[in-house]
Amino acid sequence: MSRVYNFSAGPAVLPEEVLKEAAAEMLDYNGTGMSVMEMSHRSKAFEEIIRTAEADIRELMNIPDNYKVLFLQGGASQQFAMIPMNLMKNGVADYIVTGQWAKKAYQEAQKYGKANKIASSEDKTFSYIPDCSDLPISEDADYVYICENNTIYGTKYKELPNTKGKTLVADVSSCFLSEPVDVSKYGVIYGGVQKNVGPAGVVIVIIREDLITEDVLPGTPTMLQYKTHADANSLYNTPPAYGIYICGKVFKWLKKQGGLAAMKEKNEKKAKLLYDFLDQSKLFKGTVEPKDRSLMNVPFVTGDKELDAKFVKEAKEAGFENLKGHRTVGGMRASIYNAMPYEGVEALVEFMKKFEEENL
Amino acid sequence: MSRVYNFSAGPAVLPEEVLKEAAAEMLDYNGTGMSVMEMSHRSKAFEEIIRTAEADIRELMNIPDNYKVLFLQGGASQQFAMIPMNLMKNGVADYIVTGQWAKKAYQEAQKYGKANKIASSEDKTFSYIPDCSDLPISEDADYVYICENNTIYGTKYKELPNTKGKTLVADVSSCFLSEPVDVSKYGVIYGGVQKNVGPAGVVIVIIREDLITEDVLPGTPTMLQYKTHADANSLYNTPPAYGIYICGKVFKWLKKQGGLAAMKEKNEKKAKLLYDFLDQSKLFKGTVEPKDRSLMNVPFVTGDKELDAKFVKEAKEAGFENLKGHRTVGGMRASIYNAMPYEGVEALVEFMKKFEEENL
């Protein structure tokens, strides 16, 4: 068995320790004589798995008591509809469009009310985060929506927008648990787990209790109401149990690493190594405004499409997987999530240096 | 490691062979150097996993070419809304209510149009399947809905209803792949996989192509439109990739067992063993009309609640797990899905005989 360095943007690398434990427990979880996949979601063993997972993410993110943690399905894409269906009481919401996912959320919201695009960075291929200190927030906006880390473009809000008192809703899929956050600044903070937390098929929604009401848009499916899942502690119907179990193991791993402050330090160190190399390179260059650079997703180009393709090909042969950039940006992208070790980034930079020497 | 006999109604027992393979491949799937959980859903390796899974279920169920196979999220509960949102063109549908899940589907459909309850077995705690040979099908019904096997109550349609030419929609969650079916008799046949096929978090929808249209109810979320997923071959957004991978392994296992005709024979043999014992027992008795008995879920009682509880407790101590019946029926229930070996049912019957001798 030989593991590669996997720079996939998601689904993405998981801690090897977590995978080893999962493999060892596959036929018999903790003396139950069955796999977690085979377990009734109403069993004591699974109740303990999901409640421990919840307690651990609450501890990691320091989630206030007046927030619910929901383990749902359907990915961020389903949240694009759930959010307006549940929160658009006035039928108005403001969207800041900093990438493809924010744009999709904005487009979906238009089905349910007046969704306003109050800022965008589409003019420069989403390579920066707009100034959000004094935006034209709508007076009757039910919420202001952002995608906090833009996976495709490699940007991240370094400061949250000034929402002028309105509820902030944030998709944090690609920066989930990568650094400490102040949950109390958000009304809803959510993410698909398949980038930084676990296997695809689980979305975690952290939502302030006063936003969970029966007063949803007419025709909202029972399964798309936050109240359905909040009232049942995420066990209204069968949850994606195995995915939640893996997330729980990742939470334990994060605690062992020292929690989110320690993760931030590790992530900054990894990102700095790569960005510092890019900033002095004569061949490669980053595509993002330096002030808005993501710690998680690092897009870069050579400026020559053929050379980009050659790099991706040779990198793959050398054991660096999934470095091809998104088709809308081109070039390369290295996603360096929590589970990517420092050694992986170090090895990549060494490889890039060698490639530069050979191809400049 | 010691495995129990797991009679859970779902999530439920999986083939040991499948779990062993999954454990062995956890850190390195097929030489890729990564787990299936870590793999981009756009990668060649995952494309092959999902396309092979689709080809195998098509072969197993002999699915005609004019049907799409969709791998979705949200469980059957989400289908309760998706079905009317996508299919209620006239705003009318007929429901046959044979248990809790059919009832929930019927209730959810009322949000979206005129849902008619055209037959029910609620008068006798859903212990039988009503005569469906000449029901008052609505003239403008968009579809007739059934739950084909009722997990909680242990009943199964032995003959499909006469829909008088209307589209049949069936939830087959708890009899999925347990015997051959004639897919061409259905417009939609779907099931959550967590009972007979795989881990919770995947729902498989087999739908006739002419039913997949853009003409859905206003306000239907993009993620709840069959067309979204059909057009993208279930890769519109990140699918529940690991669950699909396990389902694919179960499909291979079923093919190795001889396919669905062979499974039917095995399932009939297992069910006969248990039903024959119940029919001659002086202590235990089945709760379902014999003609409507499920091959998958077998509820039974002693008639004495305390004795029922004693049985469940002693069975658990002897390594028979999850025999407690659903709270609405009481007593016991043995779910004997595809992956339950004949030896498991044999051992259970032996244990019941012994219990009967000791407690009569």
Side-chain angles (χ1 to χ4, degrees), chain A residues 2 17 30 32 43 106 170 180 193 226 254 270 309 324 326 333:
Chain A
S2 118
E17 206 175 310
N30 204 13
T32 56
S43 65
Y106 161 66
V193 304
Y226 291 124
L254 288 168
K270 283 187 288 179
K324 194 173 171 190
H326 193 272
R333 173 180 47 175

Side-chain angles (χ1 to χ4, degrees), chain B residues 48 99 111 124 150 205 210 262 294 331 356:
Chain B
E48 196 185 314
K111 283 187 183 174
K124 294 184 184 166
N150 297 280
V205 176
D210 62 284
S294 164
E356 178 166 338

Side-chain angles (χ1 to χ4, degrees), chain B residues 293-357:
Chain B
R293 283 170 166 172
S294 164
L295 293 183
M296 297 283 103
N297 311 97
V298 184
F300 55 95
V301 293
T302 64
D304 173 337
K305 277 183 187 177
E306 278 175 36
L307 206 54
D308 286 352
K310 188 180 180 215
F311 175 81
V312 170
K313 182 171 173 286
E314 292 183 9
K316 188 178 165 71
E317 285 160 10
F320 303 97
E321 287 280 347
N322 294 311
L323 283 166
K324 194 172 170 192
H326 193 271
R327 64 185 184 283
T328 57
V329 179
M332 285 73 72
R333 173 179 48 176
S335 294
I336 51 176
Y337 295 119
N338 282 342
M340 172 59 64
Y342 185 79
E343 295 69 39
V345 183
E346 216 170 28
L348 174 65
V349 168
E350 283 314 306
F351 180 81
M352 289 169 78
K353 276 185 192 159
K354 195 170 136 275
F355 186 88
E356 178 166 338
E357 279 162 24

Side-chain angles (χ1 to χ4, degrees), chain A residues 18-296:
Chain A
V18 164
L19 295 173
K20 280 183 179 158
E21 277 181 31
E25 293 169 352
M26 184 64 88
L27 279 96
D28 180 10
Y29 171 74
N30 204 13
T32 56
M34 55 184 97
S35 172
V36 174
M37 288 188 204
E38 302 178 296
M39 223 170 249
S40 166
H41 56 297
R42 310 278 177 210
S43 65
K44 272 184 202 155
F46 185 72
E47 268 284 343
E48 196 185 312
I49 288 170
I50 189 169
R51 294 291 73 93
T52 304
E54 183 182 338
D56 285 337
I57 192 174
R58 281 187 176 279
E59 186 184 329
L60 280 165
M61 293 180 72
N62 195 20
I63 299 174
D65 285 346
N66 64 327
Y67 284 72
K68 288 273 187 188
V69 176
L70 308 177
F71 296 93
L72 306 181
Q73 296 186 58
S77 297
Q78 195 155 305
Q79 292 306 309
F80 299 168
M82 269 181 91
I83 287 159
M85 287 178 123
N86 282 269
L87 303 188
M88 264 195 181
K89 316 287 185 192
N90 299 332
V92 179
D94 290 344
Y95 282 73
I96 303 176
V97 176
T98 54
Q100 181 182 299
W101 300 110
K103 191 174 175 181
K104 282 201 174 188
Y106 161 66
Q107 287 166 338
E108 186 77 2
Q110 291 175 35
K111 283 188 183 174
Y112 305 105
K114 192 163 178 295
N116 306 302
K117 179 161 54 176
I118 56 168
S120 167
S121 53
E122 196 163 9
D123 57 336
K124 293 185 183 166
T125 325
F126 300 120
S127 58
Y128 69 103
I129 299 289
D131 177 1
C132 298
S133 58
D134 186 20
L135 294 172
I137 308 285
S138 306
E139 246 178 60
D140 48 356
D142 291 301
Y143 58 88
V144 177
Y145 183 98
I146 61 167
C147 179
E148 195 163 330
N149 186 85
N150 298 281
T151 323
I152 296 175
Y153 308 95
T155 59
K156 163 103 182 7
Y157 285 80
K158 296 299 159 77
E159 223 173 291
L160 292 177
N162 174 4
T163 65
K164 303 182 180 174
K166 302 299 180 193
T167 297
L168 179 65
V169 174
D171 173 358
V172 297
S173 298
S174 51
C175 58
F176 219 167
L177 301 173
S178 64
E179 56 183 283
V181 287
D182 182 350
V183 173
S184 71
K185 291 187 175 162
Y186 303 80
V188 181
I189 178 167
Y190 81 92
V193 304
Q194 73 275 9
K195 293 176 187 296
N196 217 3
V197 188
V202 182
V203 59
I204 298 177
V205 176
I206 301 159
I207 177 168
R208 215 175 55 222
E209 280 173 353
D210 62 282
L211 297 171
I212 305 170
T213 70
E214 272 173 8
D215 172 27
V216 298
L217 297 190
T220 302
T222 303
M223 281 291 288
L224 267 59
Q225 296 179 25
Y226 291 124
K227 194 168 190 321
T228 301
H229 301 286
D231 286 353
N233 289 315
S234 305
L235 293 170
Y236 170 74
N237 70 332
T238 319
Y242 197 75
I244 293 169
Y245 154 77
I246 299 289
C247 290
K249 284 192 179 297
V250 172
F251 301 156
K252 291 280 183 219
W253 178 81
L254 288 168
K255 284 171 71 175
K256 219 156 58 180
Q257 303 294 308
L260 301 193
M263 288 318 297
K264 183 182 186 193
E265 211 174 293
K266 286 176 211 268
N267 287 326
E268 282 175 341
K269 203 175 145 207
K270 283 187 288 179
K272 186 173 187 312
L273 184 65
L274 188 46
Y275 285 125
D276 281 354
F277 170 72
L278 289 172
D279 287 343
Q280 63 73 52
S281 169
K282 294 193 176 65
L283 181 63
F284 297 104
K285 71 170 207 291
T287 58
V288 165
E289 274 291 326
K291 71 174 177 46
D292 301 324
R293 282 170 167 174
S294 165
L295 292 183
M296 298 282 104

